[in-house]
């Protein structure tokens, strides 16, 4: 399978614990994005990378959230001191470099986080 | 990015054509119109993109009037497997982060 993969698919954690999610993009894609989606809402942008450089972070990304993309390949998203409000689906997407009119991002299946 | 407005939900019977209209009154000159589809517990999937007039692919057609202030996604002969949420997005090129609204929840009934 050459699509975007995410691990784990589901994570249940207790409030206050740290969690880390992994995303493996499509191999030739140099852009990688993280989104968060809560029930009944569309995905919300969190942050994105071009190769290993983190180019933009949303205001949603509090200081408890950190993302990395070492060597421009896979990426990790860590949430420290989780709160119940962090419960959501965390989606990763990747794309090729920007082209005129090209807006196609390829999404992974997501990691569903439940904070109890 | 331009804000979009689309119906919250729609119902259709199998075999019918479904048209979902999206309003984007503040669309900018360099903005494209893109539609994504999302099934439960999956990430969104690109369906179609256009700038003006009509675009057709193997899945859908996209109609964009001359003023580009709205667009219509047309799904021919829907089946139960087309039950999903459909998102309309507008934005420029360069693969910048996507801005999703709440989408339209399409339910196809047998």
């Amino acid at each position: 399978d050459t699509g975007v993969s995410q691990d784990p698919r589901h994570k249940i954690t207790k409030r206050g614990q740290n969690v880390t999610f992994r995303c493996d993009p499509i191999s030739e894609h140099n852009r990688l994005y993280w989104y968060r989606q809560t029930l009944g809402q569309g995905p919300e942008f969190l942050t994105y990378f071009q190769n290993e450089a983190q180019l933009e972070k949303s205001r949603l990304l509090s200081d408890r959230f950190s993302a990395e993309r070492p060597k421009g390949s896979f990426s990790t998203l860590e949430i420290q001191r989780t709160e119940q409000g962090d419960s959501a689906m965390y989606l990763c997407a990747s794309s090729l470099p920007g082209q005129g009119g090209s807006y196609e991002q390829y999404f992974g299946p997501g990691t569903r986080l439940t904070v109890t | 990015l331009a804000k979009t407005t689309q119906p919250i939900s729609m119902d259709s019977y199998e075999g019918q054509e479904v048209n979902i209209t999206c309003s984007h009154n503040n669309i900018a000159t360099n903005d494209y119109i893109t539609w994504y589809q999302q099934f439960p517990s999956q990430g969104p999937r690109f369906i179609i993109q256009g700038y003006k007039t009509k675009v057709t692919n193997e899945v859908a057609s996209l109609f964009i009037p001359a003023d580009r202030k709205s667009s219509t996604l047309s799904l021919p002969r829907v089946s139960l497997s087309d039950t999903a949420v459909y998102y309309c997005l507008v934005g420029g090129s360069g693969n910048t982060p996507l801005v999703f609204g709440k989408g339209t929840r399409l339910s196809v009934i047998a």
Side-chain angles (χ1 to χ4, degrees):
Chain A
D1 185 13
T2 57
V4 177
S5 62
Q6 293 186 244
D7 183 69
R9 293 293 307 275
H10 303 274
K11 178 70 176 180
I12 301 174
T13 191
K14 292 185 178 181
R15 183 164 53 95
Q17 297 295 305
N18 299 343
V19 294
T20 300
F21 310 140
R22 176 179 170 125
C23 171
D24 287 272
I26 294 172
S27 58
E28 63 268 28
H29 287 183
N30 70 342
R31 290 206 173 195
L32 186 148
Y33 309 78
W34 285 99
Y35 295 84
R36 180 175 69 185
Q37 185 173 27
T38 54
L39 197 62
Q41 305 295 316
E44 298 172 294
F45 166 73
L46 291 178
T47 187
Y48 86 99
F49 294 83
Q50 178 161 305
N51 300 314
E52 66 275 10
Q54 189 172 17
L55 295 187
E56 186 176 342
K57 292 192 290 186
S58 161
R59 292 172 301 174
L60 294 174
L61 211 66
S62 76
D63 56 5
R64 296 185 298 105
F65 288 69
S66 63
E68 295 182 343
R69 193 183 181 197
K71 303 178 183 178
S73 55
F74 71 92
S75 175
T76 58
L77 177 68
E78 181 183 16
I79 308 174
Q80 296 182 327
R81 305 180 303 281
T82 53
E83 302 173 355
Q84 288 187 322
D86 297 332
S87 295
M89 175 77 84
Y90 290 84
L91 293 161
C92 175
S94 69
S95 72
L96 289 168
Q99 300 170 3
S102 178
Y103 223 68
E104 184 168 357
Q105 294 183 13
Y106 295 80
F107 283 81
T111 295
R112 181 167 297 283
L113 172 66
T114 302
V115 182
T116 62
Chain B
L1 295 175
K3 181 179 177 180
T4 60
T5 302
Q6 50 184 125
I8 297 294
S9 63
M10 295 180 68
D11 294 331
S12 176
Y13 288 102
E14 270 192 301
Q16 292 192 328
E17 178 184 76
V18 171
N19 296 309
I20 306 174
T21 297
C22 178
S23 297
H24 28 80
N25 292 319
N26 298 322
I27 190 168
T29 304
N30 63 345
D31 283 342
Y32 284 76
I33 299 155
T34 311
W35 287 79
Y36 278 75
Q37 173 193 55
Q38 186 176 26
F39 298 113
S41 299
Q42 294 186 25
R45 183 176 72 102
F46 175 93
I47 301 176
I48 197 167
Q49 181 184 84
Y51 184 80
K52 61 181 179 180
T53 63
K54 176 184 175 181
V55 179
T56 298
N57 62 22
E58 64 278 5
V59 177
S61 294
L62 178 59
F63 298 91
I64 305 168
D67 67 4
R68 303 195 335 118
K69 293 183 182 299
S70 67
S71 59
T72 299
L73 174 73
S74 181
L75 303 172
R77 299 180 298 282
V78 294
S79 64
L80 295 176
S81 63
D82 292 316
T83 294
V85 178
Y86 293 83
Y87 296 98
C88 165
L89 298 91
V90 295
S93 63
N95 284 322
T96 51
L98 301 176
V99 179
F100 290 84
K102 293 187 177 183
T104 296
R105 185 172 300 277
L106 173 65
S107 297
V108 180
I109 307 163

